[in-house]
Amino acid sequence: MTHNSIVVTLSKDGCYYYNAKDCFKVASIAQKIESSVGAGDSHIGGIIACQKLGLDWYDTLVKANEIALQKLSQK
């Protein structure tokens, strides 16, 4: 068992979070996808930024999903 935080992206279904104490899924918002290029990079960048700002993991992943969704909607 790991004591590290693990985030698994689930494409259009959002992402899943797990650590030794907690696990949950954060749903994504349905939207038309123009391109998936850079969405994963945007997602992890959002995670890093939100964690540096001190957000809890749930709020971090909600925001990271929103950031990735913005990238997905761009051509």
Side-chain angles (χ1 to χ4, degrees):
M1 178 180 289
T2 183
H3 294 284
N4 296 318
S5 295
I6 298 171
V7 176
V8 178
T9 56
L10 304 170
S11 187
K12 65 179 175 33
D13 295 323
C15 60
Y16 182 79
Y17 173 82
Y18 170 84
N19 72 13
K21 298 178 184 176
D22 203 9
C23 62
F24 54 84
K25 181 180 173 187
V26 178
S28 185
I29 300 167
Q31 184 171 334
K32 182 179 176 190
I33 297 173
E34 295 293 336
S35 172
S36 64
V37 174
D41 294 333
S42 299
H43 196 266
I44 193 63
I47 290 172
I48 293 167
C50 290
Q51 285 292 284
K52 292 295 272 181
L53 290 171
L55 275 68
D56 65 32
W57 272 105
Y58 184 83
D59 291 338
T60 290
L61 296 177
V62 167
K63 185 54 113 176
N65 282 355
E66 291 171 358
I67 291 167
L69 191 58
Q70 288 177 357
K71 180 62 183 139
L72 288 166
S73 65
Q74 297 175 354
K75 290 185 180 181

